[in-house]
Amino acid sequence: MEQAAAGQARAPRIVILGAGFGGLAAAQELGGAPAQVTVVDRRNHHLFIPLLYQVATGALSPAEIAEPIRHLLRRHRNVEVVLGDVAGIDTAARKVRLEDGGELPYDRLVVATGSRSSWFGHPEWREHAPALRSLEDARRIRSRLLLAFEQAERERDAEERRRLLTFVVVGGGATGVELAGAVIELARRALKREFRHIDPAAARVFLLEAGDRLLPSMPRELSDYARRALERLGVEVRLKAAVESVDAAGVTVAGERQPAACVLWGAGVAASPAAEWLGVEAAKGGKVEVEESLAVPGLQDVFVIGDAAACPGPDGTPLPGLAQVAKQQGRHLGRELRHHLPDGLPPAPFRFRNRGDMATIGRHAAVADFDGRTLRGRPAWLLWGLVHVYLLVGFQNRLLVTLRWLAAWATNRFGARLITLEEAPGDRSDAGRAEQA
């Protein structure tokens, strides 16, 4: 018994911070390895963020794109899960400090804490322009969207009703494009014939992008197609439209006031405070510079992956903050750490294999870029659906999402249109009227 306990105590302790795509992949690769693996996350579930906008617009329910972390790692007896917030990291003592005062010693540390939304130096915009990073965010946005229609149904002032039926999405990346398309379809398809005093199809959806095109990471031909597809749906796309201010009643762009009931933020992200925790200088976007092995220069046995890492790609520029990058890094690092547990050698260099970049635009259109080979329209939309169902964790989630999508496609109904947050029906309407006065 004592020998077994001593052997267990001598097993390397690997702490993984974050159970997103990268952290979860690393933990699964280390399952069954001769090491004590501890996964720390502030939430108890792994979230499939690429489909979060569908929760925000009522197409899917939260449980269909999330899975408890403990359930996903239940087969691996050497892996434990800790629910907690990181307060700091003592790299000299090799300890992770948690907000509740707890400490986790490590022999090797994997930081996979992802990214957070950035309002470009205007944190005061956050209250009026929520971003989409968590289930709580999605529920809040869904409630605001649906409340706007409910308030418009009772509003008798024509100008205020127009404001209540106006929605603004900030940011022309994949998140903004997908969110804008989903909001217009919510108004024009899902809510059709459900109101008596308003026509939801009269809702206006604006997509604001500070640059000169949508989806800047994709070829221009796909950017142009995405814009045309959104405009056919009814989205009003405005390019070179940098937001100057946001409040409860709308936005100001280039000196022009646009009243709106909901402003949704999809414009920017910044890395988690990993650089601050590790005591290293942050790179662009707050990321941590890492070597090709994903190790942090100057720190022994510390690795950073996913959105928190500035990892050089084949051309020397940092890899994009995509789920496929984080997942590949997690798998690579998990395998390498497992292989080198006995000898303690550093991992081999990470090599990214581009699986393509995709974005959906409403009901029957999408764009896809496979390293220069492009696809658009309905074929891209079908491929997008297949890929996202395949990537969902858990067979039950894949089945539920497939059935939900098929039902929505056949009936034009979104089945999760519930207002679940407490927000007084008159609050936002009154605020809007006061701002305009």
Side-chain angles (χ1 to χ4, degrees):
M1 181 73 70
E2 292 178 357
Q3 288 180 343
Q8 182 68 14
R10 288 194 298 272
R13 296 165 298 190
I14 301 176
V15 174
I16 301 173
L17 304 181
F21 289 104
L24 183 64
Q28 289 172 330
E29 290 293 336
L30 287 164
Q36 301 176 46
V37 181
T38 301
V39 178
V40 183
D41 200 285
R42 62 189 306 180
R43 295 182 174 87
N44 78 326
H45 55 268
H46 169 80
L47 180 62
F48 192 76
I49 290 181
L51 290 181
L52 194 56
Y53 79 96
Q54 295 208 3
V55 175
T57 52
L60 296 174
S61 68
E64 289 164 350
I65 66 164
E67 193 79 10
I69 300 168
R70 294 184 184 278
H71 179 73
L72 294 172
L73 298 173
R74 67 192 184 282
R75 293 186 298 107
H76 307 302
R77 304 300 298 175
N78 67 314
V79 180
E80 66 171 336
V81 178
V82 172
L83 184 67
D85 276 309
V86 176
I89 300 171
D90 187 338
T91 55
R94 294 190 177 223
K95 290 181 180 180
V96 175
R97 299 193 307 273
L98 303 180
E99 290 285 358
D100 62 6
E103 291 185 341
L104 297 172
Y106 67 84
D107 296 304
R108 293 170 181 83
L109 177 65
V110 179
V111 180
T113 45
S115 58
R116 51 188 173 174
S117 296
S118 170
W119 285 264
F120 304 125
H122 292 277
E124 69 277 9
W125 293 356
R126 177 176 183 172
E127 178 185 356
H128 307 301
L132 197 53
R133 305 294 298 175
S134 68
L135 289 178
E136 292 83 3
D137 293 334
R139 290 174 60 234
R140 184 176 300 108
I141 289 173
R142 183 182 64 192
S143 292
R144 288 191 179 186
L145 288 171
L146 297 176
L147 273 171
F149 289 99
E150 296 292 343
Q151 293 167 11
E153 174 79 349
R154 298 177 58 188
E155 182 60 56
R156 295 297 175 258
D157 180 77
E159 183 178 351
E160 177 61 10
R161 183 187 295 171
R162 281 194 295 272
R163 188 189 74 84
L164 289 168
L165 293 177
T166 301
F167 307 91
V168 174
V169 179
V170 181
T175 298
V177 166
E178 293 178 340
L179 191 54
V183 171
I184 198 72
E185 291 206 324
L186 171 69
R188 300 196 172 185
R189 294 182 181 273
L191 299 180
K192 190 176 181 180
R193 295 192 298 272
E194 293 193 358
F195 291 85
R196 299 296 174 261
H197 302 292
I198 63 169
D199 178 11
R204 300 178 69 187
V205 178
F206 291 88
L207 177 58
L208 309 180
E209 165 56 37
D212 62 355
R213 65 187 181 105
L214 303 179
L215 303 173
S217 64
M218 292 189 176
R220 181 170 285 277
E221 63 183 271
L222 296 185
S223 300
D224 295 340
Y225 173 83
R227 179 179 181 177
R228 293 194 302 269
L230 284 171
E231 290 174 340
R232 282 195 297 269
L233 287 175
V235 176
E236 301 178 48
V237 179
R238 294 185 58 184
L239 303 178
K240 298 182 180 179
V243 173
E244 296 173 353
S245 69
V246 182
D247 55 43
V251 299
T252 300
V253 182
E256 180 183 345
R257 182 67 177 167
Q258 178 56 62
C262 292
V263 181
L264 309 178
W265 193 263
V269 296
S272 66
E276 180 183 343
W277 295 336
L278 295 171
V280 298
E281 184 176 353
K284 184 179 180 180
K287 297 186 177 186
V288 177
E289 294 275 5
V290 297
E291 300 170 346
E292 288 186 327
S293 65
L294 304 175
V296 180
L299 297 180
Q300 188 174 4
D301 297 320
V302 176
F303 308 89
V304 181
I305 62 176
D307 289 0
C311 177
D315 59 355
T317 60
L319 293 171
L322 299 175
Q324 61 170 316
V325 174
K327 199 166 187 176
Q328 289 184 37
Q329 289 176 335
R331 285 177 174 170
H332 170 82
L333 184 58
R335 286 194 298 264
E336 287 294 310
L337 290 179
R338 183 186 189 117
H339 179 70
H340 291 296
L341 282 173
D343 53 36
L345 294 175
F350 168 71
R351 294 290 181 261
F352 172 60
R353 294 173 175 81
N354 191 350
R355 309 298 187 193
D357 193 7
M358 311 178 77
T360 184
I361 311 159
R363 185 177 170 84
H364 287 147
V367 290
D369 174 29
F370 301 99
D371 204 15
R373 292 171 293 180
T374 62
L375 191 65
R376 59 189 178 184
R378 185 168 296 192
W381 178 74
L382 291 171
L383 180 61
W384 177 92
L386 289 172
V387 167
H388 282 71
V389 166
Y390 172 77
L391 292 175
L392 276 170
V393 293
F395 172 78
Q396 182 180 10
N397 288 19
R398 294 171 184 169
L399 179 61
L400 287 173
V401 168
T402 301
L403 293 175
R404 180 82 73 184
W405 281 348
L406 288 173
W409 179 84
T411 65
N412 282 332
R413 291 190 61 192
F414 292 3
R417 301 196 314 272
L418 304 178
I419 299 174
T420 56
L421 295 182
E422 294 183 3
E423 186 169 347
D427 284 353
R428 293 182 61 80
S429 177
D430 293 344
R433 188 174 290 113
E435 287 290 332
Q436 291 178 349

